[in-house]
Every structure is written in C-alpha cells, then in structure tokens.
C-alpha cells in the first residue's frame, strides 16, 4: 500500500534560552495515524518541545513541519488553524451544562458555527448525532446528562480529550494526559486515546 504521509516532522530542532541549549537537535518523523509518547524525567524538555511544535516558543534553529508544510515561523493560532491542537487549548468545560451539551458546544465551535449559531440550528439532528457518537466513545453513554462540573477529575480530563478530538485537528498534542489519575483511570484514558 501507500506509505503513510508524515503528520509531524522535526528536523534538527534546537532551542536555546540565553546561552543554555534546552532542546539539542531533535529529529523526529511521525506518520499520520500513529500515536507517539515522549517520555523522560522532569526537566528533560518535553513541555518545551510541545511549546515549540505548537508555536508558543520560537525555535532557535531547525524546521518543524505539519502535514508537509513548515509551521515553525507561524503564530499558535495559525498552527491551530492548520490542524494542530493542544489539549489545554480547550481551557475548561462548562460546569453547569451536561456532558452531552459540552460535547455539542465543542462540535459547534469546531464546525465553524461560532458566529451563525441560529442559522445552524437546522443542522441540529446531524450535530446531535455527532455529539452522541462522541459521547458513546468517551463514556459509553452513561454520563450523558451529568453536569460537567459533577464529573470526577479523570472524567473531566477524558472529556477535554474528547472535546479536543471533536475539534477535528489532524494532530493532537496531549501534555501529560494521565497526570493525577489512578491506575484504572490511566488505563481508561489510554484506551480512549487509542
């Protein structure tokens, strides 16, 4: 078959803060559809690397490509528009809205209905069906009508991952997605990411 296209490509990426080199020549190719985990001790530069890929920090040298196009000189909002999302960019859920309504809001936003909410209501059935499908993936449907603010910490994290996925990005960066979770919650989150 066809070789998978590269989703993210880093070519000899370096980052200095003053005289200190934090990222020292990272080269990495991640094909579309792959899931990669970057591991290392605290202070190894994992979050800095994510900040470089998402445009939060400029690189000192090298190249970063998203789906074959250079993004290393673009601001974060343009990188986001080009198809890269970072989980914390969904800053919070709506605590008084149900899980279903939160997911529907994320879908509304991602589909570009931001400024034409009322004109989009005729698409309600398609939107509801998409939100329901996402809900089934996330919670197997059992938490549909629970207010977002009543979810456990792990469930809120899972919902944020779901809302990020709902955003339709082709590449998603999850920074420590299982931090603060128990073993069983971590297993659930990993299954969800897969």
């Amino acid at each position: 078959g066809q070789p998978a296209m590269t989703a993210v490509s880093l070519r000899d990426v370096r980052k200095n803060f003053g005289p200190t080199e934090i990222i020292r020549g990272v080269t990495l190719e991640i094909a579309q559809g792959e899931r990669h985990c970057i591991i290392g001790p605290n202070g190894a530069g994992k979050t800095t690397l994510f900040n470089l890929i998402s445009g939060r920090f400029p690189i000192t040298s090298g190249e970063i490509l998203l789906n074959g196009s250079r993004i290393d000189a673009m601001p974060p909002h343009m990188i986001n528009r080009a198809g890269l999302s970072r989980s914390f960019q969904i800053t919070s859920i709506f605590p008084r809205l149900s899980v279903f309504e939160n997911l529907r809001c994320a879908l509304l936003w991602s589909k570009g209905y931001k400024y034409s909410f009322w004109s989009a209501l005729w698409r309600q059935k398609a939107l509801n069906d998409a939100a329901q499908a996402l809900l089934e993936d996330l919670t197997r449907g059992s938490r549909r009508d629970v207010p977002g603010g009543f979810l456990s910490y792990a469930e809120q994290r899972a919902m944020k991952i779901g809302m990020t996925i709902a955003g339709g990005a082709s590449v998603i960066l999850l920074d420590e997605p299982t931090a603060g979770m128990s073993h069983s919650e971590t297993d659930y989150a990993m299954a969800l990411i897969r």
Side-chain angles (χ1 to χ4, degrees):
Q2 285 280 89
M5 196 170 130
T6 302
V8 177
S9 182
L10 277 66
R11 298 174 182 166
D12 196 29
V13 171
R14 296 173 184 274
K15 176 62 180 173
N16 295 3
F17 289 102
T20 310
E21 195 174 40
I22 303 296
I23 303 294
R24 299 180 187 132
V26 174
T27 295
L28 179 66
E29 297 271 329
I30 299 175
Q32 288 179 353
E34 288 183 349
R35 288 149 194 84
H36 279 250
C37 184
I38 295 174
I39 59 172
N42 287 343
K46 301 183 298 294
T47 298
T48 300
L49 192 64
F50 273 29
N51 284 332
L52 297 176
I53 296 168
S54 61
R56 195 163 173 211
F57 297 159
I59 63 175
T60 301
S61 65
E63 294 182 359
I64 300 175
L65 294 88
L66 176 68
N67 299 319
S69 298
R70 292 250 335 237
I71 59 167
D72 50 74
M74 292 166 67
H77 72 278
M78 292 299 292
I79 294 172
N80 184 254
R81 262 187 227 155
L84 183 135
S85 189
R86 219 170 145 177
S87 53
F88 71 67
Q89 285 169 326
I90 301 276
T91 47
S92 68
I93 57 180
F94 297 106
R96 292 185 183 162
L97 295 186
S98 71
V99 169
F100 178 78
E101 288 165 336
N102 268 284
L103 294 175
R104 203 166 65 159
C105 284
L107 285 164
L108 263 174
W109 189 254
S110 74
K111 301 280 185 250
Y113 298 163
K114 311 172 184 73
Y115 308 112
S116 58
F117 185 78
W118 297 112
S119 67
L121 288 181
W122 63 274
R123 300 181 204 194
Q124 193 105 12
K125 182 173 186 328
L127 188 67
N128 285 349
D129 289 350
Q132 187 61 39
L134 189 58
L135 182 78
E136 297 294 333
D137 285 344
L138 283 175
T139 69
R140 304 168 200 67
S142 62
R143 308 290 271 163
R144 184 185 197 279
D145 299 314
V146 175
F150 285 21
L151 298 176
S152 72
Y153 172 76
E155 287 174 322
Q156 288 192 19
R157 294 285 294 249
M159 193 163 87
K160 286 182 186 181
I161 292 170
M163 290 167 81
T164 306
I165 292 165
S170 61
V171 173
I172 297 172
L173 301 180
L174 302 171
D175 202 350
E176 301 199 37
T178 60
M181 291 187 182
S182 68
H183 283 300
S184 65
E185 288 168 340
T186 298
D187 290 345
Y188 165 67
M190 294 315 291
L192 174 65
I193 291 163
R194 276 191 211 99

